[in-house]
Amino acid sequence: MPEVNSTLYDAAAGGFVCDFIQRLPTTDTGKPFRLYDWQQNAIMDFYSTMDVDEDTREQLRHYWYLYLEIPKKNGKSELAAALGIYHLFADGELNAEVYVCAADKENAGIVFNAAVFMLTTAPWTAKMIARDELHIVDSRKLIEYRKRVATANGGSKWVVLGTMKVLSSEAFSKHGYKPSCVIFDELHAQPNRDLWDVMTFGSGSGRKQPVYIVLTTAGDDPDRGSIGWEIHEKAVGVRDARQLKKLLEEGGDPHSILSLRHVADEDLAAAEQELLGRDLSNWLPILYGLTAVYGDDPDDLAKLDIWDEALWYQCNPSLGQHLKIRTLRLEAQEAKKSEAGEKLFRWLRLNQWISVKAVGWLSLNLYDKTQWGPSKKAERDVALEQLKGKTCYGGVDLSATTDLTAFVLLFPQQAGLDKTVALFHAWRPDGDIVAAEKRDHVAYRDWARAGFLDLCPGNLIDYQMVVSAILEARQLYDLKTVGFDPYLSQLITSLLGDQGLSIVDIPQDLKNMWPAMQTMERMILSKEMQHVHNTCARWCFGNLRCYVDGNGNKKPMKNKSTGRIDITVAWIIAVATWMLSWKKGKPDLAQAMKTRNYHL
């Protein structure tokens, strides 16, 4: 007898499930299942890993949740049908309730129809149907496992010992389920989280070892707000937490783990602890595909050669068996002809979650085409004399340590200035400058010597340097107002307010960021908005990644961007501050119509 509360591996338990499935026929050939290696490994890991119950010393399954994310045509639905049949009458669960959940009635029928084919085609289950031990009600998408028992009056009756029923998001009740097994087919297609919550939250509490199986492909999810993406992220976290635990025991680079790939060194310790906390002991996640292996960052995915057949095999464990390489080659030929074709190939064949939430903004080519004035420092300083005395608005993005702190001045088109011009200022600590250059792969000290940013002594941003620069700008220019993100800004805005400077709050949310970004997009594309040369600012501009909601509204995302973006954020804040001035009174119509960006 194993020790109480220990985890053990019972190969016979998993082997029994494998043997059961391989006595069922597949729908494409009508011949018995021949489990692929990945299918057999998944089944063995899930059904063979056991715990010993603390009270009864009974051997129970360790895992409750099996999450399998895999591209289409790898045998997913067939496996779902076979597992549903197993849990209907072979798992030993009293009054088994098996539910196959799908997004709509049409999808719900795929697994059900496969199960009906298997039961009616296999000789041994066909006999059970003939004896009415397996009773199929096609109109209700219901399969009953029944037994005839004797009654007190000498007769007999059918007693239902198990049911297998299909549920769709279109038709299910909120209560009353006591599942022994729930199978979600294509979780990404669920229109909301209602069915998932009903079937998983406490519904299996009356069972000793309930089973929740998710068999899904990647989703086409622009907002990354679906229940499919939520559970995908949960599964990735569980997988990566276990990889990290093993790596910490055996040694290695934590950045090799997907969830830690882009974490800065100074944030790594905290990120590791957060990741370890995402492990869920009763989950077994198995993921194939581009997003599962390489993540959701557009730059990481852009580096991949999606036409490399080795990558196809990595994403499709059934390739060369159930799925033929010739099929993918022909589909790849077609996919290369259009962006839409490539999108479908990435999604359906390589399991990439499409319409990523973090997307790039404007290209660096556009940035480079809108430089105002010369590049060389001496010539640049001369050109800046043209801005003295001109009306401008400021934007500030503050940081405490590792990020840049940025102050951007925006000079709208006005007399003596035929373009709207952005002028950049930035600061960072010099205490860790060598490590920072290695981490960020940029030459901060060279940028400081070129006048593109200032270095603050020590390990913190010197806010007094920022205050001095803003007050100096007020002396040099007609500085109307400065916008600040309220985060971290209370002290510095108080100091500036005491000096009589006009201050406004510009939170970094969709409401405040997107209108300013729209204005910038239009003016940069038309070359109406230009900028003073600054290599550090160019780097920030190219790093920017945006959050995009379901309506196409955008805002910067620091945690998804590939490097520092603070100067660009300050630029957006400066534009938002300038736009606020438009609302103060009605400008002279004749004067307004002279500007290039005037429109009705």
Side-chain angles (χ1 to χ4, degrees):
M1 176 72 69
E3 293 182 2
V4 175
N5 239 4
S6 62
T7 298
L8 56 95
Y9 189 84
D10 183 357
F16 178 78
V17 181
C18 291
D19 291 342
F20 179 91
I21 291 174
Q22 292 182 126
R23 294 186 66 200
L24 296 170
T26 62
T27 58
D28 56 343
T29 66
K31 297 178 180 179
F33 247 103
R34 291 184 60 188
L35 289 170
Y36 303 131
D37 289 344
W38 70 267
Q39 293 174 324
Q40 183 155 338
N41 291 339
I43 292 169
M44 291 298 292
D45 285 348
F46 187 79
Y47 289 95
S48 293
T49 307
M50 297 289 182
D51 291 330
V52 177
D53 184 81
E54 186 174 352
D55 298 319
T56 66
R57 299 175 70 87
E58 183 181 5
Q59 187 171 295
L60 300 173
R61 279 189 290 268
H62 176 77
Y63 295 119
W64 288 12
Y65 290 83
L66 171 62
Y67 180 88
L68 177 60
E69 184 175 301
I70 193 168
K72 288 183 178 295
K73 303 302 181 183
N74 277 273
K76 171 180 61 61
S77 295
E78 300 249 317
L79 182 61
L83 288 172
I85 294 170
Y86 168 79
H87 281 279
L88 172 63
F89 63 85
D91 193 47
E93 187 74 26
L94 183 64
N95 296 320
E97 293 182 28
V98 180
Y99 295 98
V100 179
C101 301
D104 53 45
K105 292 179 180 178
E106 182 178 352
N107 286 332
I110 294 174
V111 173
F112 177 81
N113 292 338
V116 170
F117 176 87
M118 293 175 184
L119 292 174
T120 55
T121 304
W124 62 284
T125 51
K127 291 179 181 178
M128 295 174 70
I129 293 174
R131 294 192 299 264
D132 220 15
E133 292 174 4
L134 287 174
H135 183 65
I136 300 172
V137 186
D138 191 70
S139 61
R140 296 170 56 196
K141 294 290 187 287
L142 171 69
I143 303 172
E144 292 180 337
Y145 171 53
R146 312 191 304 177
K147 182 179 181 181
R148 186 174 288 280
V149 298
T151 59
N153 61 5
S156 64
K157 66 177 181 179
W158 286 108
V159 175
V160 176
L161 302 178
T163 59
M164 179 177 174
K165 184 174 179 59
V166 168
L167 297 177
S168 73
S169 61
E170 302 166 326
F172 71 97
S173 64
K174 296 291 184 181
H175 305 288
Y177 301 108
K178 188 182 175 183
S180 54
C181 175
V182 179
I183 298 173
F184 269 90
D185 185 38
E186 301 294 16
L187 180 62
H188 73 87
Q190 286 290 322
N192 53 55
R193 63 178 305 120
D194 293 350
L195 185 54
W196 172 266
D197 288 343
V198 166
M199 299 310 296
T200 61
F201 186 74
S203 61
S205 58
R207 305 285 183 173
K208 292 181 179 180
Q209 48 181 4
V211 170
Y212 304 92
I213 300 172
V214 178
L215 297 142
T216 187
T217 55
D220 185 4
D221 183 0
D223 304 328
R224 295 298 189 258
S226 66
I227 184 61
W229 179 256
E230 178 185 325
I231 303 305
H232 162 88
E233 287 283 83
K234 179 179 285 190
V236 169
V238 173
R239 179 199 66 185
D240 288 2
R242 292 176 189 169
Q243 289 179 356
L244 176 60
K245 184 177 179 181
K246 183 177 180 181
L247 184 143
L248 292 175
E249 293 173 351
E250 300 177 356
D253 180 10
H255 289 105
S256 63
I257 295 172
L258 178 62
S259 295
L260 302 175
R261 187 169 295 180
H262 294 301
V263 175
D265 289 341
E266 67 271 19
D267 300 326
L268 189 58
E272 287 179 355
Q273 290 305 308
E274 188 275 334
L275 180 57
L276 290 172
R278 294 170 66 184
D279 192 10
L280 297 167
S281 61
N282 63 347
W283 277 66
L284 177 62
I286 302 171
L287 301 98
Y288 296 94
L290 293 186
T291 308
V293 177
Y294 297 98
D296 203 29
D297 186 279
D299 285 343
D300 288 343
L301 293 171
K303 296 174 185 176
L304 300 174
D305 178 8
I306 66 167
W307 315 117
D308 181 0
E309 293 188 2
L311 188 64
W312 301 353
Y313 280 97
Q314 183 182 13
C315 295
N316 294 274
S318 297
L319 185 55
Q321 301 175 91
H322 183 82
L323 181 61
K324 303 303 181 184
I325 187 65
R326 181 174 180 271
T327 300
L328 260 67
R329 286 171 179 161
L330 293 172
E331 291 179 348
Q333 288 179 20
E334 190 65 28
K336 291 177 181 179
K337 296 178 181 179
S338 68
E339 289 186 11
E342 180 179 330
K343 173 183 173 179
L344 284 174
F345 191 82
R346 286 177 176 272
W347 177 22
L348 302 180
R349 289 306 187 212
L350 303 183
N351 225 38
Q352 177 180 334
W353 284 75
I354 298 299
S355 298
V356 292
K357 184 175 185 177
V359 299
W361 193 27
L362 300 175
S363 73
L364 277 174
N365 286 335
L366 285 171
Y367 178 92
D368 292 337
K369 291 177 181 178
T370 53
Q371 180 174 313
W372 181 86
S375 299
K376 293 183 178 180
K377 187 176 186 307
E379 297 174 4
R380 191 169 70 240
D381 291 342
V382 172
L384 290 177
E385 294 291 322
Q386 300 176 45
L387 300 178
K388 286 187 176 179
K390 295 289 192 295
T391 297
C392 62
Y393 298 84
V396 177
D397 185 39
L398 295 171
S399 68
T401 53
T402 57
D403 285 350
L404 300 171
T405 281
F407 170 44
V408 175
L409 288 167
L410 190 78
F411 296 83
Q413 180 184 351
Q414 57 195 282
L417 194 63
D418 63 354
K419 302 287 185 183
T420 297
V421 177
L423 175 63
F424 309 116
H425 303 264
W427 297 264
R428 70 150 289 116
D430 70 355
D432 66 338
I433 196 70
V434 176
E437 289 181 338
K438 182 178 180 181
R439 178 191 66 233
D440 294 340
H441 307 290
V442 294
Y444 285 123
R445 287 171 293 181
D446 288 346
W447 288 349
R449 285 189 287 269
F452 298 141
L453 81 159
D454 293 316
L455 298 177
C456 304
N459 294 312
L460 298 173
I461 296 292
D462 184 349
Y463 280 1
Q464 188 57 52
M465 293 175 67
V466 182
V467 170
S468 297
I470 295 172
L471 293 177
E472 181 182 357
R474 185 174 65 170
Q475 297 297 319
L476 291 172
Y477 317 110
D478 180 17
L479 179 57
K480 297 295 187 183
T481 307
V482 180
F484 284 83
D485 182 354
Y487 179 68
L488 290 178
S489 69
Q490 186 174 2
L491 174 61
I492 193 169
T493 54
S494 176
L495 292 172
L496 292 169
D498 291 342
Q499 297 293 323
L501 189 67
S502 174
I503 302 294
V504 294
D505 285 344
I506 308 290
Q508 293 184 29
D509 53 23
L510 284 171
K511 178 181 177 182
N512 289 277
M513 294 283 101
W514 178 225
M517 293 176 72
Q518 280 183 300
T519 298
M520 289 179 67
E521 284 186 7
R522 175 175 55 78
M523 295 185 71
I524 290 174
L525 285 167
S526 63
K527 299 184 181 179
E528 296 171 40
M529 184 177 292
Q530 301 188 348
H531 61 273
V532 176
H533 174 63
N534 184 306
T535 305
C536 184
R538 183 182 187 276
W539 176 64
C540 289
F541 191 90
N543 289 337
L544 183 68
R545 295 292 177 271
C546 304
Y547 165 87
V548 183
D549 72 6
N551 297 316
N553 303 314
K554 301 174 187 175
K555 70 172 184 177
M557 291 184 70
K558 288 189 176 182
N559 63 332
K560 291 291 186 180
S561 296
T562 57
R564 313 301 173 191
I565 64 172
D566 309 86
I567 297 178
T568 309
V569 172
W571 190 357
I572 297 169
I573 292 173
V575 173
T577 304
W578 172 42
M579 291 173 64
L580 285 178
S581 71
W582 301 354
K583 301 177 182 180
K584 296 179 179 179
K586 297 180 180 179
D588 178 80
L589 182 59
Q591 182 64 35
M593 290 180 68
K594 293 179 182 179
T595 63
R596 294 187 179 184
N597 59 356
Y598 173 80
H599 61 89
L600 290 174

